[in-house]
Amino acid sequence: MAQIHPTALIEDGAQIAETAEIGPFCMVGPQVTIGANTKLRANVIVTGDTTIGADCEFFPFSVIGERGQILGNKDVPHRVEIGDRNVFREHVTVHGASPDKSHPTRIGNDCYFMATSHIGHDCLISDKCVLANNTAIGGETHLGFQVWTGGGALIHQKSWIGDHAFVAGGAVLVGDVPPFAMASGQPAGIASVNMTGLQRRGFNKQDVRHIHRSVMHLFAGKGTFAERLAALREKPSDPHIDAVLAFIDSERGGRPLCGARKG
């Protein structure tokens, strides 16, 4: 049997793995599924149509699965899907998907959400993302693989952020961020490439330098953005730069590309 504190409120219908732990004063709704070895420490609320994988940890006062902050949103079970080995620190909020969406609010594996960070309705968060304290992510935002933020980053709804990108502390992001880039400022622009992050993840120095030269020329070189983009397309194929070009060519939710106005 799962370890459930006597003060916890578990509604009928909830499915809790035998090795899960539910701490004092937690509330678990009737359409919630909690996986093996997942721990709700204390005062955690999990509601909505929410599925949580294995080995996750939820710290006090985190609230998972409430309906999104949309005017007129109905109080029906809102879907959230959370993978394995994620950590949700104090006061983290994750809102469920809108009723008309085909996918839940989805979080991958091995993510770390620091205290008071917020994930809005219909967001798609890939694996190994890290949100620092007070990061706020608006609804329908997509975060790629290993996206990190600094403290207090504000990310506008429907933004797309590519793999290995970094959004600096205090940034106010109103456009999309391509893979490998670092966005900072108010409003945010492409300031550099996430060189420290890439090196820590095993990218070799030659690849990091090549990514840096290519991305910074695209966003801060001479000529118009369209001219610089065309020139980049003409260069020999490279898997990292191809990923940047594919991101730019994709349908990214209708948001402008962060910094593309430069030049």
Side-chain angles (χ1 to χ4, degrees):
M1 295 291 293
Q3 298 182 44
I4 300 176
H5 194 276
T7 62
L9 174 60
I10 312 298
E11 297 194 50
D12 291 342
Q15 301 181 46
I16 302 174
E18 292 183 356
T19 54
E21 297 181 29
I22 311 298
F25 303 106
C26 292
M27 297 177 63
V28 178
Q31 292 184 270
V32 171
T33 299
I34 297 177
N37 304 314
T38 285
K39 179 184 294 186
L40 279 58
R41 283 182 167 266
N43 297 97
V44 175
I45 296 175
V46 184
T47 186
D49 183 359
T50 297
T51 299
I52 299 171
D55 300 299
C56 293
E57 188 172 17
F58 295 82
F59 282 72
F61 304 105
S62 51
V63 179
I64 312 299
E66 283 288 2
R67 68 180 186 267
Q69 297 175 124
I70 304 171
L71 293 176
N73 204 355
K74 303 298 183 182
D75 190 12
V76 299
H78 295 266
R79 294 179 299 148
V80 175
E81 183 179 291
I82 296 172
D84 302 331
R85 300 176 301 279
N86 297 293
V87 176
F88 299 80
R89 292 304 304 250
E90 297 83 354
H91 295 277
V92 169
T93 50
V94 179
H95 286 173
S98 305
D100 61 341
K101 295 297 183 183
S102 61
H103 63 79
T105 299
R106 183 177 293 123
I107 295 170
N109 304 315
D110 302 296
C111 296
Y112 197 105
F113 304 105
M114 298 185 192
T116 68
S117 54
H118 169 71
I119 299 168
H121 60 88
D122 308 303
C123 286
L124 298 176
I125 312 296
S126 299
D127 296 346
K128 295 188 176 182
C129 292
V130 176
L131 305 186
N133 302 71
N134 301 311
T135 294
I137 298 181
E140 301 182 58
T141 291
H142 293 201
L143 266 60
F145 179 70
Q146 281 202 301
V147 170
W148 288 36
T149 73
L154 304 178
I155 299 173
H156 195 280
Q157 64 185 21
K158 299 185 178 181
S159 297
W160 282 35
I161 302 176
D163 296 349
H164 300 290
F166 180 78
V167 181
V172 178
L173 187 67
V174 293
D176 294 348
V177 180
F180 315 116
M182 182 178 73
S184 65
Q186 301 179 359
I190 303 301
S192 184
V193 165
N194 184 17
M195 299 180 71
T196 300
L198 295 180
Q199 290 169 356
R200 288 175 176 173
R201 294 163 199 169
F203 285 72
N204 64 53
K205 292 182 179 180
Q206 182 177 349
D207 285 342
V208 172
R209 286 195 296 265
H210 178 60
I211 293 168
H212 183 265
R213 285 195 302 268
S214 299
V215 171
M216 293 314 298
H217 175 74
L218 177 62
F219 284 92
K222 295 181 179 179
T224 66
F225 180 80
E227 291 170 343
R228 300 191 298 262
L229 180 59
L232 188 60
R233 294 187 193 279
E234 294 175 357
K235 293 187 176 184
S237 179
D238 173 271
H240 304 307
I241 304 309
D242 289 347
V244 174
L245 295 175
F247 180 90
I248 292 172
D249 292 337
S250 65
E251 296 182 3
R252 305 183 318 278
R255 302 298 307 166
L257 192 63
C258 182
R261 64 188 181 278
K262 291 186 178 180

